[in-house]
Amino acid sequence: MTKLQRIKEIIWGLMMILAALIMLIVPKEGYDFVIAILSLVYTVKGINTIIYYFTMARFMVGGKNSLYMGIILLDFGILTGTLTDVPHYYVLLYLITLHAFSGVVEILRSLEAKRYGARSWKLKMGHGMLNFAMSAVCIIFMKQMPVAVIVYATALLYSAVLRIISACRRTKLVFIQ
């Protein structure tokens, strides 16, 4: 990871901490804030992935997968942005599904990292378990929207801290002389 990438990851982590603190301070209005954050993140990620496809990935083997992923992420971002007028239950189900899926993917990635002997598999496993546990807690407190927002903000805070930790971690480089 280059120094610029480390700085960007730390700044992104600090912005996530700020967003989580805002949601923890005002959980009643946190619902709209959660929707705005998710919409913005998925839309920007989708646009970046589509730009990556047109600049580089279209010349690569399997490059169309990045185009499809970019379109799906952009669609998720636009869909999330339009969910402001629907009942809270649908948005909560949407959040539960996204975090359960990302938790399962992170757990599978950590098991793969463990198989290859990486040291950071425990951190990834913890992150995946937290995502999965967060979706379970949101199911339990589905009728109480402020509690679900607090749970989401806590998980966002944890993800931000993990992002900053991984940005500050030294990476091993292999030099060939």
Side-chain angles (χ1 to χ4, degrees), residues 15-166:
M15 287 174 31
M16 287 171 62
I17 289 173
L18 179 67
L21 290 177
I22 289 172
M23 283 188 276
L24 286 173
I25 291 170
V26 220
K28 295 272 187 201
E29 288 81 26
Y31 170 75
D32 294 329
F33 199 61
V34 167
I35 289 177
I37 288 174
L38 285 175
S39 176
L40 181 69
V41 166
Y42 283 127
T43 303
V44 169
K45 212 176 233 189
I47 290 171
N48 282 343
T49 307
I50 290 172
I51 289 171
Y52 170 71
Y53 168 76
F54 283 115
T55 56
M56 187 180 294
R58 67 181 169 159
F59 303 113
M60 296 167 36
V61 175
K64 283 188 181 178
N65 289 339
S66 65
L67 175 67
Y68 300 144
M69 185 59 84
I71 291 171
I72 289 170
L73 287 173
L74 184 62
D75 286 344
F76 271 143
I78 293 169
L79 173 72
T80 306
T82 62
L83 291 177
T84 56
D85 295 332
V86 299
H88 299 310
Y89 294 113
Y90 296 122
V91 176
L92 213 52
L93 285 174
Y94 177 67
L95 277 174
I96 289 167
T97 305
L98 285 175
H99 285 286
F101 179 73
S102 97
V104 168
V105 168
E106 195 71 26
I107 290 170
L108 291 174
R109 281 185 178 172
S110 72
L111 292 175
E112 182 182 17
K114 181 182 178 184
R115 216 178 353 211
Y116 289 125
R119 289 187 197 175
S120 64
W121 72 270
K122 292 177 186 175
L123 198 60
K124 288 183 183 196
M125 177 68 82
H127 190 248
M129 299 281 279
L130 180 82
N131 264 343
F132 201 71
M134 184 184 71
S135 64
V137 170
C138 282
I139 289 172
I140 294 169
F141 294 111
M142 193 170 217
K143 295 188 189 245
Q144 301 163 346
M145 185 55 66
V147 174
V149 170
I150 289 171
V151 169
Y152 181 75
T154 305
L156 187 67
L157 191 65
Y158 179 74
S159 294
V161 170
L162 282 183
R163 183 178 288 256
I164 292 172
I165 287 171
S166 66

